[in-house]
Amino acid sequence: MKAFQKILSAHDDFIHDVAYDYYGKRLATCSSDQKIKVYEQQPNGSWKLSEKGITAHSGVINKVAWAHPEFGQILASCSTDRVVNIYEEQVGTRGSSRSWKRMGMLVDSRESVNDIQFAPRHLGLKLATCSFDGRVRIYEATDVMNLSVWPLVEEFELGKSNCKYVCLCWNPCPFDPPMLVTAADKTLKIWEHSSKLNRWVCVVELEQQDEVKHVAWAPNLARSKHLIAVACKDNVVIYSLDRPIQPPTNNSQHNNIHAYNLPKHPSEVWRVSWNLTGSMLASACDDGGVRLWKADVKGDWHLAVSIPEEDLRSENDFAQ
């Protein structure tokens, strides 16, 4: 498989994250150069730099995320400077000029903020963050017409402080209660917001062999099980859990949890991502390759496509 496009990023340092918008027509990148850049897909399929650079932070930018377009063109970023910024695209009076304006600045974290993700649309305009101080913070724009106000509505501890790696992901299914999966170093936890207790409760806790670099909760289209992908060192584990997830009692789990280990990758895995239906998983690792995994009718996962490094670094089809 050959790369469709190779985009010249115009960043001056390492790129730490890339994020497509909801429709896959816009792409945001963030870098150690403390800037965010936004690209747009053109009618001919090429990608054009539409924002030469938002100077967003005073430190390395770890992640960038798009909100659902129902709420407008909104970007969030987090950094080692302990700040989360919220940006909204401003359109000129004649619609010809566009620019990004910082609307919110969230400064509650005491350590570097490593991961952020907007909640699924059905939960409203909420943003979850996790940082090396071992805490998850959830903010909500109570008035979508005034994005300068983002009160901290919920906060809970992951169970340890001074973490080396932290990450999180929302459960995208609209038929479940609000749920999050988090990882702090080697500890993976699934949280559910209890309407009875009015707080977040840990319903599953799983220890991993290595530090977790990334987690991804699969979209659910009439599937009876949850699927959660976990990137640990050179390994990817796919957890299958029965729905609904039951809280533990007397230190015992009542969920039927199955762990499927994908074949070892040749180097460290840093990102995992599901497709729209949750039927295919992509993994990216330090060898520069991307691998696509698909389950057979028995539920066993197999390598479907491997994009080697030399194809990703093809000199053909540059997007200026």
Side-chain angles (χ1 to χ4, degrees), residues 203-251:
V203 293
V204 174
E205 181 173 343
L206 300 167
E207 290 295 324
Q208 310 299 304
Q209 294 182 349
D210 296 288
E211 286 87 358
V212 178
K213 303 301 192 307
H214 199 227
V215 291
W217 201 315
N220 195 316
L221 298 181
R223 189 172 51 241
S224 62
K225 295 181 180 294
H226 292 290
L227 293 178
I228 297 175
V230 181
C232 304
K233 201 174 180 180
D234 58 353
N235 191 31
V236 173
V237 183
I238 298 176
Y239 285 102
S240 172
L241 301 92
D242 286 341
R243 300 177 61 213
I245 296 177
Q246 300 296 328
T249 57
N250 298 325
N251 297 322

Coordinates of all heavy atoms in Angstrom, one line a residue, residues 203-251:
V203 N -15.3 0.9 37.9 CA -16.0 -0.3 37.8 C -15.1 -1.5 37.4 O -15.5 -2.7 37.5 CB -17.2 -0.2 36.8 CG1 -18.3 0.7 37.4 CG2 -16.8 0.3 35.5
V204 N -14.0 -1.2 36.8 CA -13.1 -2.2 36.3 C -11.6 -1.7 36.5 O -11.4 -0.5 36.2 CB -13.2 -2.6 34.9 CG1 -12.2 -3.6 34.4 CG2 -14.6 -3.3 34.6
E205 N -10.8 -2.5 37.1 CA -9.3 -2.2 37.2 C -8.5 -3.3 36.7 O -8.7 -4.5 37.2 CB -9.0 -1.8 38.7 CG -7.5 -1.4 38.9 CD -7.2 -0.9 40.3 OE1 -8.2 -0.6 41.0 OE2 -6.0 -0.9 40.6
L206 N -7.6 -3.1 35.8 CA -6.8 -4.1 35.2 C -5.3 -3.6 35.2 O -5.0 -2.5 34.7 CB -7.2 -4.4 33.7 CG -8.7 -4.9 33.6 CD1 -9.0 -4.8 32.1 CD2 -8.8 -6.3 34.1
E207 N -4.4 -4.5 35.7 CA -3.0 -4.2 35.7 C -2.4 -4.7 34.4 O -2.6 -5.8 34.0 CB -2.3 -4.8 36.9 CG -2.7 -4.1 38.2 CD -2.2 -2.7 38.3 OE1 -1.1 -2.4 37.8 OE2 -2.9 -1.9 38.9
Q208 N -1.5 -3.9 33.8 CA -0.8 -4.2 32.6 C 0.7 -4.5 32.9 O 1.2 -4.2 33.9 CB -0.9 -3.0 31.6 CG -2.3 -2.5 31.4 CD -3.2 -3.5 30.9 OE1 -3.0 -4.1 29.8 NE2 -4.4 -3.7 31.6
Q209 N 1.3 -5.2 31.9 CA 2.7 -5.6 32.1 C 3.6 -4.4 31.9 O 4.7 -4.4 32.5 CB 3.1 -6.7 31.2 CG 2.3 -8.0 31.4 CD 2.8 -9.2 30.5 OE1 3.5 -8.9 29.5 NE2 2.3 -10.4 30.8
D210 N 3.2 -3.5 31.1 CA 4.1 -2.3 30.9 C 3.2 -1.0 30.9 O 2.0 -1.1 31.0 CB 4.7 -2.4 29.5 CG 5.6 -3.6 29.3 OD1 6.7 -3.6 29.9 OD2 5.3 -4.6 28.7
E211 N 3.9 0.1 30.9 CA 3.2 1.4 30.9 C 2.3 1.5 29.7 O 2.7 1.2 28.6 CB 4.2 2.6 31.0 CG 4.9 2.8 32.3 CD 6.1 1.9 32.5 OE1 6.5 1.2 31.5 OE2 6.8 2.1 33.5
V212 N 1.1 2.0 29.9 CA 0.2 2.2 28.8 C 0.4 3.6 28.2 O 0.4 4.6 28.8 CB -1.3 2.2 29.4 CG1 -2.3 2.4 28.2 CG2 -1.5 0.8 30.0
K213 N 0.6 3.6 26.9 CA 0.9 4.8 26.1 C -0.4 5.4 25.5 O -0.5 6.6 25.4 CB 1.8 4.5 25.0 CG 3.2 3.9 25.4 CD 3.9 4.8 26.4 CE 5.4 4.3 26.5 NZ 5.5 2.9 26.9
H214 N -1.4 4.5 25.2 CA -2.6 5.1 24.6 C -3.7 4.1 24.8 O -3.5 2.9 24.9 CB -2.4 5.3 23.1 CG -3.4 6.3 22.5 ND1 -4.0 6.0 21.3 CD2 -3.8 7.5 22.9 CE1 -4.8 7.0 21.0 NE2 -4.7 7.9 22.0
V215 N -5.0 4.6 24.8 CA -6.2 3.7 24.9 C -7.2 4.3 23.9 O -7.2 5.4 23.6 CB -6.8 3.7 26.3 CG1 -5.9 3.0 27.3 CG2 -7.1 5.2 26.8
A216 N -8.0 3.3 23.4 CA -9.1 3.7 22.5 C -10.3 2.8 22.7 O -10.2 1.6 22.7 CB -8.6 3.6 21.0
W217 N -11.5 3.5 22.9 CA -12.7 2.8 23.1 C -13.5 2.7 21.7 O -13.7 3.7 21.1 CB -13.6 3.5 24.1 CG -14.6 2.7 24.8 CD1 -15.5 1.8 24.2 CD2 -14.9 2.6 26.2 NE1 -16.3 1.2 25.1 CE2 -16.0 1.7 26.4 CE3 -14.4 3.3 27.3 CZ2 -16.6 1.5 27.6 CZ3 -15.0 3.0 28.5 CH2 -16.0 2.1 28.7
A218 N -13.8 1.5 21.3 CA -14.4 1.3 20.0 C -15.8 1.8 20.0 O -16.6 1.6 20.9 CB -14.3 -0.2 19.6
P219 N -16.2 2.4 18.8 CA -17.7 2.7 18.6 C -18.5 1.4 18.6 O -18.0 0.3 18.3 CB -17.7 3.4 17.3 CG -16.3 3.9 17.0 CD -15.4 2.9 17.7
N220 N -19.7 1.5 19.1 CA -20.5 0.3 19.2 C -21.8 0.4 18.4 O -22.6 1.3 18.6 CB -20.9 0.1 20.7 CG -21.4 -1.3 21.0 OD1 -22.2 -1.8 20.2 ND2 -21.0 -1.9 22.1
L221 N -21.9 -0.4 17.4 CA -23.1 -0.5 16.5 C -23.7 -1.8 16.7 O -23.4 -2.8 16.0 CB -22.7 -0.3 15.0 CG -22.0 1.1 14.7 CD1 -21.7 1.2 13.2 CD2 -22.9 2.2 15.1
A222 N -24.6 -1.9 17.7 CA -25.4 -3.1 18.0 C -24.6 -4.3 18.4 O -24.9 -5.5 18.1 CB -26.3 -3.5 16.7
R223 N -23.4 -4.0 19.0 CA -22.6 -5.1 19.5 C -22.9 -5.3 21.0 O -23.1 -4.4 21.7 CB -21.1 -4.8 19.2 CG -20.1 -5.9 19.5 CD -18.7 -5.6 19.1 NE -18.3 -4.3 19.6 CZ -17.9 -3.2 18.9 NH1 -17.9 -3.3 17.6 NH2 -17.5 -2.1 19.5
S224 N -22.8 -6.6 21.4 CA -23.1 -6.9 22.8 C -22.0 -6.7 23.7 O -22.1 -6.9 24.9 CB -23.7 -8.3 22.9 OG -22.6 -9.2 22.5
K225 N -20.8 -6.4 23.2 CA -19.6 -6.2 24.0 C -18.9 -4.9 23.8 O -19.0 -4.3 22.7 CB -18.6 -7.4 23.8 CG -19.2 -8.8 24.2 CD -18.1 -9.8 23.9 CE -18.7 -11.2 24.3 NZ -18.9 -11.3 25.7
H226 N -18.2 -4.4 24.8 CA -17.3 -3.3 24.7 C -16.0 -3.8 24.1 O -15.5 -4.9 24.5 CB -17.1 -2.6 26.0 CG -18.3 -1.9 26.5 ND1 -18.8 -0.7 25.9 CD2 -19.1 -2.2 27.6 CE1 -19.9 -0.3 26.6 NE2 -20.1 -1.2 27.6
L227 N -15.3 -3.0 23.3 CA -14.0 -3.3 22.9 C -13.1 -2.1 23.2 O -13.4 -1.0 22.8 CB -13.9 -3.6 21.3 CG -14.6 -4.8 20.8 CD1 -14.5 -4.9 19.3 CD2 -14.0 -6.1 21.5
I228 N -12.0 -2.3 23.9 CA -11.1 -1.3 24.3 C -9.7 -1.7 23.9 O -9.2 -2.8 24.3 CB -11.1 -1.0 25.8 CG1 -12.5 -0.5 26.2 CG2 -10.0 0.0 26.2 CD1 -12.7 -0.3 27.7
A229 N -9.0 -0.9 23.1 CA -7.6 -1.2 22.7 C -6.6 -0.5 23.6 O -6.8 0.7 23.9 CB -7.4 -0.8 21.2
V230 N -5.6 -1.2 24.0 CA -4.6 -0.6 24.9 C -3.2 -0.8 24.3 O -2.8 -1.9 23.9 CB -4.6 -1.3 26.3 CG1 -3.6 -0.7 27.2 CG2 -6.1 -1.2 26.9
A231 N -2.4 0.3 24.2 CA -1.1 0.2 23.6 C -0.1 0.2 24.8 O 0.0 1.1 25.6 CB -0.8 1.4 22.7
C232 N 0.7 -0.9 24.9 CA 1.7 -1.1 26.0 C 3.0 -1.5 25.4 O 3.1 -2.6 24.8 CB 1.2 -2.1 27.0 SG -0.3 -1.9 27.8
K233 N 4.0 -0.7 25.4 CA 5.3 -0.9 24.9 C 5.2 -1.4 23.5 O 4.7 -0.7 22.6 CB 6.0 -2.0 25.8 CG 7.5 -2.0 25.7 CD 8.2 -2.9 26.7 CE 9.7 -2.8 26.5 NZ 10.4 -3.7 27.5
D234 N 5.6 -2.7 23.2 CA 5.5 -3.2 21.8 C 4.3 -4.1 21.6 O 4.3 -4.9 20.6 CB 6.8 -3.9 21.4 CG 7.1 -5.1 22.4 OD1 6.4 -5.3 23.4 OD2 8.0 -5.9 22.1
N235 N 3.4 -3.9 22.4 CA 2.2 -4.8 22.4 C 0.9 -4.0 22.4 O 0.8 -2.9 22.9 CB 2.2 -5.7 23.6 CG 1.2 -6.9 23.5 OD1 0.9 -7.3 22.4 ND2 0.7 -7.3 24.7
V236 N -0.1 -4.6 21.8 CA -1.5 -4.0 21.8 C -2.4 -5.1 22.3 O -2.4 -6.2 21.8 CB -1.9 -3.6 20.4 CG1 -3.4 -3.1 20.4 CG2 -1.1 -2.4 19.9
V237 N -3.2 -4.8 23.3 CA -4.1 -5.7 23.9 C -5.6 -5.1 23.6 O -5.8 -3.9 23.8 CB -4.0 -5.8 25.5 CG1 -4.9 -6.8 26.0 CG2 -2.5 -6.2 25.8
I238 N -6.4 -6.0 23.2 CA -7.8 -5.7 22.9 C -8.7 -6.4 24.0 O -8.7 -7.6 24.1 CB -8.3 -6.1 21.5 CG1 -7.5 -5.3 20.5 CG2 -9.8 -5.8 21.4 CD1 -7.8 -5.7 19.0
Y239 N -9.3 -5.6 24.8 CA -10.2 -6.1 25.9 C -11.6 -6.1 25.4 O -12.1 -5.1 24.8 CB -10.1 -5.3 27.2 CG -8.8 -5.5 27.9 CD1 -7.8 -4.5 27.8 CD2 -8.6 -6.6 28.7 CE1 -6.6 -4.7 28.6 CE2 -7.5 -6.8 29.4 CZ -6.5 -5.8 29.4 OH -5.3 -6.0 30.0
S240 N -12.3 -7.2 25.6 CA -13.7 -7.4 25.3 C -14.4 -7.6 26.6 O -14.1 -8.4 27.4 CB -13.9 -8.6 24.4 OG -15.3 -8.9 24.3
L241 N -15.4 -6.7 26.9 CA -16.2 -6.7 28.1 C -17.7 -6.8 27.8 O -18.2 -6.1 26.9 CB -15.9 -5.5 28.9 CG -14.5 -5.2 29.4 CD1 -13.8 -4.3 28.4 CD2 -14.5 -4.5 30.8
D242 N -18.4 -7.6 28.6 CA -19.9 -7.7 28.4 C -20.5 -6.3 28.7 O -20.0 -5.6 29.6 CB -20.4 -8.7 29.3 CG -20.1 -10.2 28.8 OD1 -19.8 -10.3 27.6 OD2 -20.2 -11.1 29.6
R243 N -21.6 -6.1 28.1 CA -22.5 -4.9 28.3 C -23.7 -5.4 29.0 O -24.3 -6.4 28.6 CB -22.8 -4.2 27.1 CG -21.6 -3.6 26.3 CD -22.1 -3.0 25.0 NE -23.0 -1.8 25.2 CZ -24.0 -1.5 24.4 NH1 -24.3 -2.2 23.4 NH2 -24.7 -0.4 24.7
P244 N -24.2 -4.6 30.1 CA -23.5 -3.5 30.7 C -22.4 -3.9 31.6 O -22.4 -5.1 32.1 CB -24.6 -2.8 31.4 CG -25.6 -3.9 31.8 CD -25.5 -4.9 30.7
I245 N -21.5 -3.0 31.9 CA -20.4 -3.3 32.8 C -20.9 -3.3 34.3 O -21.5 -2.3 34.6 CB -19.2 -2.4 32.6 CG1 -18.6 -2.6 31.2 CG2 -18.1 -2.6 33.7 CD1 -17.5 -1.7 30.9
Q246 N -20.6 -4.3 35.1 CA -21.1 -4.3 36.4 C -20.0 -3.9 37.4 O -18.9 -4.3 37.3 CB -21.6 -5.8 36.8 CG -22.7 -6.3 35.9 CD -24.0 -5.5 36.0 OE1 -24.3 -5.0 37.1 NE2 -24.7 -5.4 34.9
P247 N -20.4 -3.1 38.4 CA -19.4 -2.7 39.4 C -18.9 -3.9 40.2 O -19.7 -4.8 40.4 CB -20.2 -1.7 40.3 CG -21.4 -1.3 39.5 CD -21.7 -2.4 38.6
P248 N -17.7 -3.9 40.7 CA -17.2 -5.0 41.5 C -17.8 -4.9 42.9 O -18.1 -3.9 43.4 CB -15.7 -4.8 41.5 CG -15.5 -3.3 41.3 CD -16.7 -2.9 40.4
T249 N -17.9 -6.1 43.5 CA -18.4 -6.2 44.9 C -17.5 -7.2 45.6 O -17.1 -8.2 45.1 CB -19.8 -6.7 45.0 OG1 -19.9 -8.0 44.3 CG2 -20.8 -5.7 44.3
N250 N -17.1 -6.8 46.9 CA -16.2 -7.7 47.7 C -14.9 -8.1 47.0 O -14.5 -9.2 47.0 CB -17.0 -8.9 48.1 CG -18.2 -8.6 49.0 OD1 -18.2 -7.7 49.8 ND2 -19.3 -9.4 48.8
N251 N -14.4 -7.0 46.3 CA -13.1 -7.2 45.6 C -13.1 -8.3 44.5 O -12.1 -8.9 44.2 CB -12.0 -7.6 46.6 CG -11.7 -6.5 47.6 OD1 -11.8 -5.3 47.3 ND2 -11.5 -6.9 48.9

